[in-house]
Amino acid sequence: MIEKALTSADVEFVTTLHGDEAVSFHVLLQPRGEQADRLLRAIDDVALGELDEAVREGQTPEGEEALSVGERALEVSLTALRTAGSAAEGRLVEEHPLDALKGVVQEVGADEVIVLTDPHYVEEFFHRDWASRARHKVGVPVLKLFSHSKA
């Protein structure tokens, strides 16, 4: 589960987690504009020392615009995973990302879930981030990773 396009560092990291073992990815992307409200995102930016980003939170695409950005981010991520030699398919998630995640885990018989996002300190502190909530819902191990750099 991701919220923006994977960077090359992210792709290298997730594709090498299991050594030479063949791995296929089923990517769910929920565009960032739909995932949390602006105030929480701005607090995260301030906590990371990214004051310029906090100021620009009002410019984060939402609604239909976020879906268009999300579609491009998903395609970039799938292409990067495939180029790295992994099987990859995916879809955008507009509502209830954890329900969609649980459905995919059951549908494909996933062995584990990787949640790869930027840090979200407020949600993490209260265990309301995707990874914390998914651990109680999906029935397989959940690995929480932070994106290596900006996409």
Side-chain angles (χ1 to χ4, degrees), residues 23-39:
V23 176
S24 63
F25 293 91
H26 300 271
V27 180
L28 297 181
L29 183 142
Q30 184 180 33
R32 188 171 186 219
E34 300 288 23
Q35 178 236 319
D37 71 6
R38 290 180 182 159
L39 177 60

Side-chain angles (χ1 to χ4, degrees), residues 29-128:
L29 183 142
Q30 184 180 33
R32 188 171 186 219
E34 300 288 23
Q35 178 236 319
D37 71 6
R38 290 180 182 159
L39 177 60
L40 292 177
R41 292 192 314 257
I43 291 169
D44 289 337
D45 291 335
V46 170
L48 290 168
E50 297 174 349
L51 300 181
D52 291 342
E53 290 296 320
V55 171
R56 286 193 287 266
E57 282 301 338
Q59 300 167 2
T60 299
E62 294 189 4
E64 291 298 318
E65 188 180 351
L67 291 178
S68 175
V69 170
E71 288 170 351
R72 287 192 307 271
L74 180 61
E75 190 54 42
V76 164
S77 299
L78 295 175
T79 299
L81 289 167
R82 291 173 185 142
T83 300
S86 295
E89 57 185 67
R91 61 181 159 204
L92 286 181
V93 178
E94 296 180 48
E95 296 180 10
H96 311 293
L98 296 175
D99 291 339
L101 181 60
K102 181 178 179 180
V104 168
V105 166
Q106 292 172 344
E107 176 185 321
V108 302
D111 295 325
E112 72 179 352
V113 167
I114 298 172
V115 176
L116 194 145
T117 66
D118 287 332
H120 297 293
Y121 295 113
V122 174
E123 289 98 335
E124 290 166 25
F125 180 78
F126 292 106
H127 302 284
R128 301 302 303 153

